Amino acid sequence: MWLLLSVLLHAMFGTVLPLDGGMLFPRESSFREVKELNGLWDFRADGSPNRNEGFEKAWHKRQLAETGPVIEMPVPASYNDITQDPTLRDFIGWVWYDREVAVPARWISDQGTRVVLRVGSAHYYSIVWVNGEKVTEHEGGHLPFEAEISSLIRREPMKPCRITIAVNNTLTLETLPPGTIQYMNDSSRYPDGFFVQNMDFDFFNYAGIHRPVLLYTTPKVYVDDITVETNFMDNTGLIRYKVSVQGGFSNTLNITLMDKDGHFVASSNGSSGVLRVVDVKLWWPYLMHENPGYLYSMKVRQHTSTYEDEYTLPLGIRTVNVTNTQFLINNKPFYFHGVNKHEDADIRGRGFDWPLIVKDFNLMKWLGVNSFRTSHYPYAEEILQMCDRHGIVLIDECPGVGIKDIRSFGNASLSHHLVVMDELVRRDKNHPSVVMWSVANEPASEMPPAEFYFKTLIEHTKALDQTRPVTYVTIAEADMDKGGPYVDVVCVNSYFAWYFDQGRLDIVPLQLSTHFENWYRKYQRPIIQSEYGADAVPGLHMDPPMMFTEEYQNALLQSYHDVFDQKRNQYFIGELIWNFADFMTAQGIYRVVGNKKGIFTRQRQPKAAAFLLRKRYWRLANETGRLLPD
């Protein structure tokens, strides 16, 4: 019996359970504390010609205000839209933040307490000092990084803890996303040293410290990482877990699983094992079940003769599988009716903001949205936690957008891209809402080096996590011969009657249907329309519809929907509108104060298309037997 069960578990879970060091979200417990450092920091942009004065004069060695003029800057927030200074809005290079923090005395006096400094995200290259000493640096935005600072703050316990963070938003051919710096050397048109940052993506290059900065504590011997994989057999849930403990040897490791109401469900001992949940309540997507987003709590407690630690991980029990024609959640067909989004809003830019997040979730549920893609980068961990609780399904995308230059497919770029996927999977691997990894958006995959690049990247991601499918988003049928065989789901962006054959709504059905048939014939993979849409200026009306009017946006969406409905019972598994809300872009003749493809304005007010989409999404939901909204 036990041998048979072991064979079954091996078949259900696979053989790879990656665990290369933790990045657990900071949570308070009886043995852990969290101190937020959000608020006003001193801020200074390095406006020197080479953007290097801060390093040459060692600004980190003293208070930033002693180095020259500073301004107040909110954290978290993008710095670009905070002031009236256009040079700061478009600034490229190093900016500096600092503030002094009062560290609780018990953290300093207790030698058995680790104190960790964590930055939720900063764009794009960051260096951190504490009391003038470098503690860490990190390449890339959108993902957290941290450093233990216990010994530093104990050297001079009576002094405040001064934290200095330098952040550089420069994009190169080897960053994600990539970009280039172009120097304008025509002295008759440009001053000496004039340069521009070129980018091949269509959203504003917001910069700064975008997510919360925290101090948190753990015991000296602590739970470093947890990895869970879930499955079920009949009405029994199965949770395979692995726990990493750092700082010393743990005498005892207890695992306790509680249901949503705090009732005991299962327990185990040891650093790895399987929890069995009788009468399991599965994690279901919103509108797919009357009780979506069901979460258990897995409490991990470790003991040594000296130290105790406790960490509680919320988790949902569900499975994800893909066939040639379907996407299955808990062995039932799932159809994506959702949106693409951006972390973008007035004033704060890409800065983390709870009121905005809650508003967006209320709007998505009002629409009947059951899913979205984190276009075009990983979103805040708190947003993923909201998705877990509300049953909103996620395609989790890395910052691999705008990879258009052949030089960005080199070994250095690939190495960085692999590290980013490591960080992304390590951070998000336990979220039940995350059902698919996306390794890039609209790359130039027709270029010869791209085939090896993406084959390596996709195989690496699958090795990191065998429980979720992997994709990347394509836009041109020229990509068919390069990228398709390696992905589990084909995600295609298309803008018929917008970027091509402008205004010709009458030919959308033929072009879109042909597009789908070609992709499916080539690769026999299920297809998601991962982007489609049209710009609409709020309040601009015309009949017959013309481009940029609300009527045209509606008509274009409807023409796509007609084709979606034809293919839905074949191999077509989802539709994600571009975009949920209008968002800011760089200035240019193709954008009038940002991208206007949102069905909501940037201020989250509905355009006519929001009502059209709401009617459609609730109809799709009701085809599975759910009730209409109030």
Side-chain angles (χ1 to χ4, degrees):
M1 176 64 183
W2 285 107
L3 178 60
L4 175 61
L5 182 58
S6 175
V7 171
L8 286 172
L9 291 176
H10 183 277
M12 295 174 78
F13 287 117
T15 58
V16 176
L17 196 61
L19 194 67
D20 296 320
M23 189 60 74
L24 293 174
F25 184 80
R27 298 181 186 276
E28 291 196 316
S29 72
S30 301
F31 307 98
R32 295 177 175 232
E33 295 179 84
V34 177
K35 180 182 177 68
E36 286 194 353
L37 306 184
N38 300 337
L40 295 180
W41 291 51
D42 281 346
F43 174 90
R44 185 180 180 189
D46 187 342
S48 61
N50 63 0
R51 301 293 195 261
N52 208 41
E53 180 182 341
F55 294 99
E56 293 169 352
K57 297 186 176 179
W59 289 356
H60 60 280
K61 291 290 187 182
R62 48 187 171 153
Q63 287 187 331
L64 194 60
E66 296 176 8
T67 70
V70 297
I71 61 174
E72 293 179 329
M73 186 60 65
V75 171
S78 302
Y79 61 73
N80 308 81
D81 294 341
I82 299 297
T83 75
Q84 301 306 108
D85 183 357
T87 61
L88 185 58
R89 180 191 63 203
D90 299 316
F91 186 81
I92 301 295
W94 289 102
V95 299
W96 293 68
Y97 295 76
D98 89 341
R99 67 168 291 180
E100 290 189 342
V101 180
V103 179
R106 64 185 178 279
W107 292 11
I108 296 175
S109 61
D110 185 356
Q111 296 291 324
T113 294
R114 295 173 65 247
V115 181
V116 181
L117 171 64
R118 179 186 179 101
V119 180
S121 75
H123 290 71
Y124 288 93
Y125 198 97
S126 305
I127 305 176
V128 182
W129 297 264
V130 171
N131 295 335
E133 293 196 30
K134 179 180 171 182
V135 295
T136 191
E137 59 186 296
H138 184 258
E139 182 179 2
H142 311 287
L143 291 166
F145 54 96
E146 59 185 32
E148 183 182 347
I149 62 170
S150 312
S151 59
L152 278 174
I153 62 176
R154 290 177 181 137
R155 287 182 191 172
E156 298 179 88
M158 302 306 294
K159 291 182 62 175
C161 170
R162 178 168 48 83
I163 300 170
T164 307
I165 306 177
V167 183
N168 193 323
N169 64 338
T170 304
L171 299 174
T172 72
L173 290 169
E174 296 171 358
T175 60
L176 284 181
T180 57
I181 296 294
Q182 181 180 3
Y183 284 90
M184 303 302 189
N185 297 320
D186 185 347
S187 59
S188 67
R189 302 179 62 195
Y190 304 100
D192 290 343
F194 189 92
F195 68 91
V196 294
Q197 170 78 78
N198 294 317
M199 303 162 290
D200 212 334
F201 55 84
D202 187 31
F203 53 90
F204 192 81
N205 186 28
Y206 278 115
I209 301 175
H210 283 150
R211 295 179 190 154
V213 180
L214 307 171
L215 290 177
Y216 74 90
T217 67
T218 74
K220 191 172 182 179
V221 181
Y222 61 99
V223 176
D224 172 62
D225 197 21
I226 305 169
T227 303
V228 297
E229 294 180 4
T230 66
N231 212 314
F232 63 93
M233 293 169 32
D234 298 324
N235 68 335
T236 300
L238 301 167
I239 303 168
R240 181 185 176 200
Y241 71 87
K242 187 169 184 181
V243 177
S244 169
V245 174
Q246 295 290 339
F249 177 75
S250 176
N251 296 335
T252 307
L253 199 58
N254 302 118
I255 314 296
T256 306
L257 189 71
M258 313 297 284
D259 68 14
K260 200 169 188 177
D261 298 319
H263 300 135
F264 172 85
V265 173
S267 64
S268 180
N269 296 313
S271 60
S272 63
V274 176
L275 296 169
R276 293 165 182 81
V277 183
V278 179
D279 295 326
V280 64
K281 294 181 175 63
L282 298 178
W283 187 94
W284 289 99
Y286 177 55
L287 301 176
M288 196 175 178
H289 192 269
E290 63 273 7
N291 189 17
Y294 191 93
L295 296 176
Y296 292 88
S297 295
M298 191 174 87
K299 183 181 293 185
V300 178
R301 187 159 184 159
Q302 75 85 20
H303 305 261
T304 71
S305 56
T306 308
Y307 302 105
E308 292 183 74
D309 189 21
E310 181 180 287
Y311 188 88
T312 300
L313 177 73
L315 63 89
I317 299 174
R318 62 101 182 96
T319 60
V320 174
N321 293 288
V322 178
T323 72
N324 288 345
T325 59
Q326 291 182 318
F327 195 97
L328 305 174
I329 295 180
N330 299 334
N331 300 326
K332 293 187 180 296
F334 177 76
Y335 185 79
F336 295 78
H337 44 88
V339 294
N340 291 277
K341 293 182 89 276
H342 266 297
E343 290 183 312
D344 172 278
D346 289 332
I347 301 175
R348 62 192 59 76
R350 195 159 290 125
F352 180 86
D353 182 68
W354 269 122
L356 181 71
I357 291 169
V358 174
K359 177 65 173 179
D360 281 1
F361 270 80
N362 285 332
L363 288 173
M364 284 191 289
K365 295 184 82 170
W366 174 84
L367 277 172
V369 161
N370 67 3
S371 54
F372 68 86
R373 176 167 64 116
T374 69
S375 46
H376 293 298
Y377 38 78
Y379 290 1
E381 294 163 276
E382 294 87 345
I383 293 177
L384 273 64
Q385 293 162 12
M386 287 277 284
C387 289
D388 292 342
R389 294 194 299 272
H390 290 269
I392 303 298
V393 167
L394 286 176
I395 300 174
D396 202 356
E397 190 161 278
C398 85
V401 57
I403 308 176
K404 304 292 188 182
D405 193 302
I406 194 170
R407 293 169 293 178
S408 289
F409 290 106
N411 290 336
S413 298
L414 177 57
S415 295
H416 176 56
H417 206 147
L418 293 171
V419 170
V420 169
M421 291 309 303
D422 287 345
E423 293 182 351
L424 176 61
V425 173
R426 179 177 64 175
R427 191 195 74 163
D428 295 348
K429 61 190 174 183
N430 295 324
H431 288 283
S433 57
V434 175
V435 301
M436 187 163 19
W437 306 112
S438 173
V439 301
N441 176 75
E442 298 181 10
S445 55
E446 74 279 1
M447 292 183 175
E451 185 170 6
F452 172 79
Y453 184 98
F454 283 108
K455 182 178 180 181
T456 302
L457 191 61
I458 290 168
E459 289 178 350
H460 178 77
T461 306
K462 288 182 178 182
L464 291 172
D465 177 17
Q466 294 185 346
T467 70
R468 295 173 175 90
V470 180
T471 189
Y472 71 81
V473 180
T474 61
I475 194 166
E477 294 198 11
D479 295 348
M480 284 186 186
D481 294 328
K482 297 296 180 183
Y486 312 117
V487 299
D488 299 302
V489 175
V490 174
C491 288
V492 293
N493 298 347
S494 62
Y495 290 93
F496 302 120
W498 188 257
Y499 293 122
F500 310 98
D501 300 304
Q502 288 91 344
R504 295 305 305 266
L505 294 170
D506 54 320
I507 60 177
V508 168
L510 173 62
Q511 293 185 343
L512 184 59
S513 181
T514 301
H515 195 55
F516 289 156
E517 290 297 322
N518 288 345
W519 275 107
Y520 190 72
R521 187 181 304 111
K522 182 80 174 179
Y523 293 119
Q524 302 291 304
R525 299 284 198 275
I527 296 174
I528 295 175
Q529 182 74 49
S530 43
E531 287 183 27
Y532 71 106
D535 286 76
V537 177
L540 185 61
H541 299 282
M542 191 170 291
D543 187 61
M546 290 190 68
M547 293 176 70
F548 292 98
T549 65
E550 293 193 44
E551 287 78 12
Y552 190 88
Q553 186 181 43
N554 268 9
L556 185 142
L557 299 188
Q558 187 60 61
S559 65
Y560 268 76
H561 296 165
D562 292 342
V563 179
F564 296 166
D565 287 339
Q566 294 171 17
K567 306 297 182 185
R568 206 154 40 88
N569 293 322
Q570 301 176 38
Y571 50 76
F572 187 74
I573 62 169
E575 54 194 79
L576 305 176
I577 186 77
W578 189 268
N579 193 281
F580 171 74
D582 295 345
F583 56 92
M584 189 53 63
T585 63
Q587 297 186 71
I589 59 173
Y590 299 107
R591 295 283 177 254
V592 182
V593 193
N595 189 306
K596 296 292 192 294
K597 290 188 179 67
I599 58 170
F600 295 98
T601 67
R602 201 179 188 210
Q603 295 72 36
R604 274 50 179 183
Q605 296 304 312
K607 303 177 189 177
F611 298 97
L612 179 146
L613 205 65
R614 182 175 190 258
K615 182 177 180 181
R616 173 173 177 79
Y617 282 179
W618 281 102
R619 176 176 66 80
L620 291 171
N622 273 274
E623 290 181 5
T624 65
R626 303 299 137 225
L627 298 176
L628 283 169
D630 294 335

